[in-house]
Amino acid sequence: EAGVAQSPRYKIIEKRQSVAFWCNPISGHATLYWYQQILGQGPKLLIQFQNNGVVDDSQLPKDRFSAERLKGVDSTLKIQPAKLEDSAVYLCASSAYYNSPLHFGNGTRLTVT
Amino acid sequence: TQLLEQSPQFLSIQEGENLTVYCNSSSVFSSLQWYRQEPGEGPVLLVTVVTGGEVKKLKRLTFQFGDARKDSSLHITAAQPGDTGLYLCAGNGGAQKLVFGQGTRLTINP
């Protein structure tokens, strides 16, 4: 089966600019996650979707970050405006159902200068 | 807030040696997962442990879940260069919310 697809792989922007990341989960996977992984740290959950509804966004900085999952398939994560501390790898993951293993994409490496 | 602490953070050993990586928390988890992540890629699931005291083996890798379901260990026997990577433990705190440790960066030198 095809894996989780993410784009772009790399993005360099200046602070205060906006950026968007795209994720296409494994076909049929109901749950989709966005994680932020800062260099040298483990992934931190930003938002979790179940189909097209938000299950958990408690750690999403909602003043600058937004995410949507239209029609319960693809998802986009947006940052506006970006700050230097947003430099990180943004990982998308999906799982087939509750408590099933997570499958991660290869991430988008964001550098904010 | 549920936290997972991994130790050591960095480990560099010679090929053929054995090693153990630890994952500790003060919180109880319903299950715990171990992932390996290579540069430029996302984490890949190695194993899930669910029952306190459970031991799972994956070739030269042995995973153990603590009796109280608060800690776990990963033991690698006769390490090989292909084992090099970032090893992450992740606890399921409920509602499929995974909490990750900060990882152990393992380097196996030929």
Side-chain angles (χ1 to χ4, degrees), chain A residues 9 33 37 42 56 98-100 105, chain B residues 37 40 42 92 95-97 101:
Chain A
R9 283 303 309 271
Y33 311 78
Q37 186 174 24
D56 184 347
Y98 182 80
N99 267 344
S100 66
Chain B
Q37 186 177 21
N92 188 341
Q96 192 59 352
K97 181 176 178 178

Side-chain angles (χ1 to χ4, degrees), chain A residues 9 33 35 37 40-43 45 48 55-56 58-59 91 95 97-107 109, chain B residues 9-10 30-31 33 35 37 39-45 48 86 88 92 94-103 105:
Chain A
R9 283 303 309 271
Y33 311 78
Y35 283 86
Q37 186 174 24
Q41 299 181 17
L45 179 68
Q48 176 184 343
V55 174
D56 184 347
S58 57
Q59 297 193 89
L91 294 163
S95 64
Y97 48 85
Y98 182 80
N99 267 344
S100 66
L102 268 64
H103 298 260
F104 283 86
N106 287 331
R109 181 175 295 277
Chain B
Q9 279 195 272
F10 301 93
S30 58
S31 65
Q33 300 176 352
Y35 292 80
Q37 186 177 21
E41 299 182 8
V44 175
L45 180 67
T48 301
L86 178 68
L88 294 160
N92 188 341
Q96 192 59 352
K97 181 176 178 178
L98 281 183
V99 176
F100 280 85
Q102 79 274 35
R105 189 163 298 281

Side-chain angles (χ1 to χ4, degrees), chain A residues 7-106:
Chain A
S7 67
R9 283 303 309 271
Y10 306 94
K11 190 74 177 178
I12 301 174
I13 62 172
E14 295 182 351
K15 60 183 179 183
R16 293 189 289 274
Q17 287 188 324
S18 62
V19 64
F21 312 127
W22 174 81
C23 173
N24 181 230
I26 293 174
S27 178
H29 279 196
T31 311
L32 185 147
Y33 311 78
W34 282 102
Y35 283 86
Q36 180 193 58
Q37 186 174 24
I38 293 174
L39 186 65
Q41 299 181 17
K44 182 184 86 170
L45 179 68
L46 292 176
I47 188 167
Q48 176 184 343
F49 291 95
Q50 181 73 19
N51 296 309
N52 60 348
V54 175
V55 174
D56 184 347
D57 63 357
S58 57
Q59 297 193 89
L60 186 74
K62 298 180 186 62
D63 57 334
R64 299 185 300 107
F65 286 63
S66 64
E68 59 182 8
R69 190 183 184 195
L70 299 176
K71 300 181 181 178
V73 182
D74 293 5
S75 178
T76 56
L77 176 69
K78 296 179 182 178
I79 308 175
Q80 181 180 8
K83 292 185 175 182
L84 296 177
E85 58 261 36
D86 298 331
S87 294
V89 175
Y90 290 84
L91 294 163
C92 178
S94 68
S95 64
Y97 48 85
Y98 182 80
N99 267 344
S100 66
L102 268 64
H103 298 260
F104 283 86
N106 287 331

Side-chain angles (χ1 to χ4, degrees), chain B residues 40-60:
Chain B
E41 299 182 8
V44 175
L45 180 67
L46 296 174
V47 76
T48 301
V49 285
V50 178
T51 307
E54 183 177 3
V55 176
K56 281 192 173 179
K57 292 191 175 183
L58 185 66
K59 297 183 180 178
R60 293 176 294 100

